[in-house]
Amino acid sequence: MWTSFFVFNASLPPQSGATLAMVNPLAGADHQIAGWFHAHLSQAFVNLLRVFSEPGSAQLIGVVLFLAVIFFVWKRAWTALVTMIVAVPGGMVLNELLKLAVHRHRPFLDGWFVDWSGYSFASGHTIGATLLYGQLLLFLLPLMKSKRRQRLIILSAAMLVMLVGFSRIALGAHYLTDVIAAIFLGVLWLMICALLLKPMRRRVVAPVAIAVEEPRPVTAATVEGRASARPFVADIVAHK
């Protein structure tokens, strides 16, 4: 439902503010927030926002993915490798196809700090950060024994995604709804990947067989051997 709402709203041609508000209750916030930041940005703030935006950049995501692939190949963790490739690059490719289908223009195309290319819906930086750090979070959570550490890494991942999304809105690269949709679609795609790849994880985990040595049954031959050994032991004692 929400996906259809975002796509429908993003694909609308330019309309009056009243008509947009009837279709999307966040249309007013979209333009007001974008306009306010566009009017109040300074060079120092732009530089800071670009630092916040960097964790969602294609370059950094590519470096992290490369390191993750090397690690998983070294550990022979094939299921984790397939999951990472399908979840992160796969989700980002789907987002690019969505951008082409929706064809929504960015909030601002002219300005001293604006150098964007491509379309606005949904935010590529935000969905990339959601996919990458969300998937890494799913890998790390089972390894954390402490609830405190689990809450800490969940909060860290969420804050990182929020910073990326905020920076894209403040820089005028995306509307608020672009960022909200990117987070929603990223989480949805991670859930779909987890469900689709669940049978694969089950096949990889082989049952551990615990070998227990059973006691050898006492046979008639064993009893006879023990009985025949007794006179022999008695002779040795008598000889001594």
Side-chain angles (χ1 to χ4, degrees), residues 16-228:
S16 66
T19 307
L20 280 174
M22 293 175 60
V23 178
N24 174 17
L26 296 179
D30 269 349
H31 294 279
Q32 288 176 8
I33 292 173
W36 189 91
F37 278 111
H38 189 73
H40 291 82
L41 285 179
S42 63
Q43 183 63 59
F45 192 28
V46 167
N47 294 337
L48 180 62
L49 290 173
R50 284 178 171 165
V51 172
F52 290 161
S53 179
E54 194 61 26
S57 65
Q59 294 81 2
L60 184 60
I61 290 177
V63 171
V64 176
L65 280 175
F66 178 73
L67 296 176
V69 167
I70 292 178
F71 177 78
F72 290 143
V73 171
W74 176 52
K75 290 292 185 179
R76 297 182 182 274
W78 308 122
T79 304
L81 176 63
V82 173
T83 303
M84 178 66 82
I85 293 175
V86 172
V88 183
M92 294 179 71
V93 169
L94 290 177
N95 187 65
E96 290 301 316
L97 296 176
L98 179 62
K99 283 188 173 188
L100 294 176
V102 175
H103 208 272
R104 185 186 197 183
H105 293 290
R106 297 185 184 273
F108 298 100
L109 300 178
D110 298 321
W112 58 269
F113 61 88
V114 176
D115 56 356
W116 325 126
S117 60
Y119 297 109
S120 183
F121 186 91
S123 171
H125 278 66
T126 307
I127 198 171
T130 303
L131 294 171
L132 177 62
Y133 305 115
Q135 187 58 60
L136 291 177
L137 178 66
L138 294 177
F139 285 148
L140 293 175
L141 273 180
L143 305 177
M144 299 294 174
K145 305 301 180 183
S146 170
K147 293 294 183 181
R148 183 179 179 183
R149 290 184 178 180
Q150 289 180 351
R151 289 192 293 267
L152 180 61
I153 62 172
I154 291 174
L155 180 61
S156 300
M159 288 297 296
L160 196 57
V161 173
M162 293 298 179
L163 278 176
V164 172
F166 169 75
S167 69
R168 303 308 288 171
I169 296 172
L171 285 170
H174 295 284
Y175 291 106
L176 173 65
T177 48
D178 297 334
V179 169
I180 295 175
I183 295 174
F184 174 80
L185 294 173
V187 172
L188 179 63
W189 179 246
L190 289 177
M191 293 171 60
I192 292 174
C193 291
L195 291 175
L196 292 179
L197 297 174
K198 190 175 182 179
M200 180 180 177
R201 292 195 297 271
R202 288 178 177 174
R203 288 195 299 267
V204 170
V205 179
V208 179
I210 302 176
V212 179
E213 185 179 355
E214 298 181 354
R216 295 175 60 185
V218 179
T219 61
T222 305
V223 174
E224 183 180 356
R226 290 176 180 175
S228 61

